[in-house]
Amino acid sequence: MNNDPIISYAFSHQTWPTATNPRRTLQVYINRPNTQQSIIDFKLPSITDNQGNFNDSTIEGMEFLLPYHEIEHPDSTMLIQKASQYMMELFTTENTSIYDDLEVTLRITNYNENASARLDIDLIITDIEETNRLPNSEEENETCTVCFRNYRNGTYLCTILWGHTFHFQCISQWLRTNISVPYVGTIYYDSAI
């Protein structure tokens, strides 16, 4: 029986002073060196109290996204607990101010050779292609978060779950090379399109 670990992980963080409401995020990278899969990355708003405890929505986001990317219990539960402990230690031992912006990075290496649930990108692109359309007059001044250009008449855009729009060519190309959906607004969504 092979006793090699299935996952390894490491935390790091950055802080920035801010004059407004502090922004806290949890950036997660999952690397699978034993598969042909690209690095998975997603970012969650990391909402904490003044002691660094995650709120329910942050925990629920991790409880959904880790198993979604085939990091199952008990590993997913352990990573959530370790991330929460890391945040609490930042606020109690590192002199991290509750008024600073904070980004915590969790890097996971998943050695499970059977973990390969990369979504069928062609199927996803076919699904979003059904929403492909010309922008309406209100959308022409909105910006695609992939290319940062406005939606102009003559360029096709599509809508994914949660109502976010992108140029169709931008999002289809993005999904072919990335495992996650681009940053949209104030919440970072994963590829559950």
Side-chain angles (χ1 to χ4, degrees):
M1 180 173 201
N2 187 351
N3 291 327
D4 291 339
I6 292 178
I7 66 166
S8 64
Y9 64 94
F11 289 98
S12 61
H13 70 279
Q14 291 183 297
T15 59
W16 302 271
T18 184
T20 61
N21 294 335
R23 202 180 83 166
R24 297 192 177 99
T25 57
L26 176 65
Q27 176 72 51
V28 179
Y29 295 101
I30 303 172
N31 182 24
R32 294 195 171 118
N34 298 332
T35 69
Q36 297 297 315
Q37 193 169 22
S38 60
I39 292 177
I40 299 165
D41 69 283
F42 57 88
K43 190 177 283 196
L44 293 168
S46 176
I47 302 166
T48 62
D49 63 18
N50 291 344
Q51 286 80 39
N53 298 302
F54 287 136
N55 75 355
D56 289 342
S57 67
T58 302
I59 293 171
E60 288 168 5
M62 291 182 73
E63 286 174 341
F64 171 77
L65 290 170
L66 291 173
Y68 177 80
H69 292 295
E70 296 188 59
I71 297 178
E72 303 293 342
H73 178 77
D75 293 324
S76 62
T77 302
M78 180 267 304
L79 288 169
I80 293 167
Q81 290 170 345
K82 295 292 185 182
S84 183
Q85 289 171 355
Y86 186 84
M87 289 292 281
M88 288 188 295
E89 288 174 10
L90 286 175
F91 284 96
T92 58
T93 63
E94 295 281 329
N95 287 333
T96 301
S97 169
I98 61 171
Y99 304 107
D100 288 343
D101 284 346
L102 171 66
E103 180 174 272
V104 172
T105 301
L106 169 57
R107 293 186 182 280
I108 302 168
T109 303
N110 184 348
Y111 298 98
N112 182 356
E113 294 178 7
N114 297 320
S116 60
R118 182 173 170 95
L119 297 171
D120 185 341
I121 298 303
D122 291 329
L123 181 60
I124 292 170
I125 291 171
T126 300
D127 286 346
I128 64 174
E129 190 171 18
E130 292 175 8
T131 69
N132 203 11
R133 61 186 168 72
L134 291 171
N136 61 37
S137 59
E138 293 175 6
E139 293 170 322
E140 286 184 352
N141 292 322
E142 292 180 16
T143 303
C144 173
T145 57
V146 176
C147 70
F148 303 107
R149 294 189 191 122
N150 289 350
Y151 302 127
R152 301 248 185 257
N153 196 11
T155 61
Y156 285 89
L157 60 105
C158 61
T159 305
I160 62 172
L161 194 61
W162 301 294
H164 300 300
T165 57
F166 303 92
H167 287 115
F168 175 73
Q169 289 301 325
C170 292
I171 194 65
S172 62
Q173 183 177 16
W174 176 278
L175 290 172
R176 291 184 194 284
T177 58
N178 296 279
I179 193 69
S180 59
V181 174
Y183 167 72
V184 178
T186 58
I187 299 176
Y188 296 78
Y189 289 105
D190 190 65
S191 47
I193 297 177

